[in-house]
Amino acid sequence: MESHPSVTDRPVRIPPIAWFLGVGLIVALVAIFFFNVAINTVAYYGFLALMIGSHFFMHGGHGGHQPGVASNTDKANKDEHAGHSGSCH
């Protein structure tokens, strides 16, 4: 009889966006209930933090994408990025 490893043997990885949103929710609740900050103020600053924070997650894959920085995969990716303007968008 064959033994098949269980899928549940590997640890569960929580995506960074879930950590970001969870910490933001906890901070918002602490500000409202412990420091008596108005809900509108928390929502306003929370929205700004969400916009700035989500920008980091959108461009998370552009780490080795800087001009003048050579990497080991530059030659392999040269054909893949033909015609790429060099900016993030």
Side-chain angles (χ1 to χ4, degrees):
M1 189 163 277
E2 293 182 31
S3 174
H4 297 287
S6 175
V7 176
T8 59
D9 288 343
R10 25 182 206 155
V12 176
R13 181 180 161 104
I14 299 173
I17 190 74
W19 286 108
F20 179 75
L21 293 175
V23 168
L25 180 63
I26 291 170
V27 168
L29 291 174
V30 166
I32 292 169
F33 291 111
F34 290 111
F35 296 109
N36 295 324
V37 178
I39 294 174
N40 288 338
T41 304
V42 171
Y44 176 75
Y45 285 109
F47 182 70
L48 287 177
L50 180 68
M51 293 300 110
I52 293 169
S54 66
H55 192 81
F56 291 120
F57 289 106
M58 284 190 298
H59 296 292
H62 291 287
H65 186 61
Q66 301 166 353
V69 177
S71 70
N72 293 336
T73 59
D74 281 344
K75 292 178 185 175
N77 291 333
K78 191 169 188 166
D79 293 332
E80 179 184 331
H81 294 295
H84 190 268
S85 66
S87 66
C88 290
H89 301 282

